[in-house]
Amino acid sequence: MIHLGVNIDHVATLRQARGTAYPDPVEAARLCAQAGAHGITVHLREDRRHIQTHDVERLAAERRLPLNLEMANSEEVLAIALRLKPEEACIVPERRQELTTEGGLDADGLRESLGPAIDALKDNGTEVSLFIAPEPRQIDAAVALGAPAIELHTGAYCDCAAAGAEREAEAELNRLIGAALLANSAGLRVNAGHGINLENVAAILKIPHLHTLNIGHSIISRAVFVGLREAVAEMLRAINP
Ligand code: PXP
């Protein structure tokens, strides 16, 4: 069975748009748990555009589901992760100007700075994954750095598929498949995420060895029309047909 981690960042986006106390990401996490999700993912961005430190504190205190904290490799956020001990931490690249996490982490180029952060998280009981593009040299770097898991960035595939660029989409999907095979043979746990929705998820399931799909924007968008519990339930049905 493939696990579903629901990224609830955009519940907080809606709250921050008005500076209200609602909608509450912690309440959203409860509904995700009721719907059968396997985990909760939040990205504590350095600019705090959506999820706030107090959200992560409350999610960590309640912990109905395993918590996956997406984080840049920054001292400030690392200290929070070490204090709150999420079950998982996914290290992502972060740029303030981006709308969302646009590319994968250059794990290969950043080995020196990533090593101590990965070791500190692991020693603290948090499983680390690296959010990378489906490139062999990034997988090799994840292995060398001792990260137990990777999350493959599916955004390029999803963008091509949405644009109807069939040939490019097929090439991107093949890159994801190759990367998953390589990562699995190297003993890494394979997660994937970014841009996944009900239309493209069937193709994403062609990626072998998937442990968890982390999905946010499309589920929260669907929730506006069908409610969060149903939006999570329909994605669960789609990923384990
Ligand atoms: N995985 C990672 C590492 C991400 O940064 C994001 C976006 O925050 C997601 C998954 C979820 O992407 P989406 O919101 O497009 O489903």
Side-chain angles (χ1 to χ4, degrees), residues 7 9 43 70 90 92 100-101 131 151 193-195 214-217:
N7 180 315
D9 290 349
H43 185 173
E70 291 177 9
C90 180
V92 303
T100 178
T101 314
F131 188 47
E151 180 169 331
H194 212 283
N214 285 312
I215 307 178
H217 186 262

Side-chain angles (χ1 to χ4, degrees), residues 30-212:
R30 287 181 200 131
L31 292 171
C32 292
Q34 285 169 16
H38 303 95
I40 294 297
T41 295
V42 289
H43 185 173
L44 185 65
R45 295 188 77 105
E46 289 181 274
D47 65 10
R48 302 296 198 272
R49 67 175 70 163
H50 38 52
I51 292 292
Q52 307 296 306
T53 307
H54 63 78
D55 294 322
V56 189
E57 287 169 344
R58 290 167 60 233
L59 287 164
E62 184 150 321
R63 207 125 13 166
R64 293 189 188 206
L65 290 175
L67 181 61
N68 172 30
L69 181 66
E70 291 177 9
M71 51 177 279
N73 183 21
S74 83
E75 256 178 52
E76 189 247 335
V77 183
L78 178 62
I80 293 170
L82 293 175
R83 175 165 63 85
L84 298 178
K85 299 180 192 287
E87 278 74 12
E88 290 175 49
C90 180
I91 304 181
V92 303
E94 209 176 286
R95 286 189 300 120
R96 288 195 179 226
Q97 307 84 344
E98 67 190 358
L99 282 179
T100 178
T101 314
E102 282 164 4
L105 183 74
D106 183 9
D108 187 25
L110 298 171
R111 287 186 195 215
E112 250 172 61
S113 58
L114 285 171
I118 293 170
D119 290 346
L121 287 162
K122 280 170 61 184
D123 292 347
N124 205 42
T126 292
E127 169 142 321
V128 178
S129 79
L130 304 181
F131 188 47
I132 56 172
E135 292 168 7
R137 77 183 172 92
Q138 302 298 352
I139 293 164
D140 292 345
V143 173
L145 284 162
I150 55 163
E151 180 169 331
L152 292 172
H153 197 314
T154 52
Y157 167 74
C158 296
D159 287 347
C160 292
E166 279 176 32
R167 221 155 0 109
E168 288 85 348
E170 195 187 333
E172 288 298 338
L173 191 56
N174 285 334
R175 289 176 68 208
L176 288 161
I177 291 170
L181 289 169
L182 183 64
N184 178 258
S185 69
L188 297 173
R189 206 172 89 182
V190 180
N191 302 327
H194 212 283
I196 300 173
N197 58 35
L198 287 173
E199 279 75 54
N200 60 30
V201 69
I204 291 290
L205 297 182
K206 293 184 183 154
I207 303 170
H209 307 300
L210 284 174
H211 183 279
T212 297

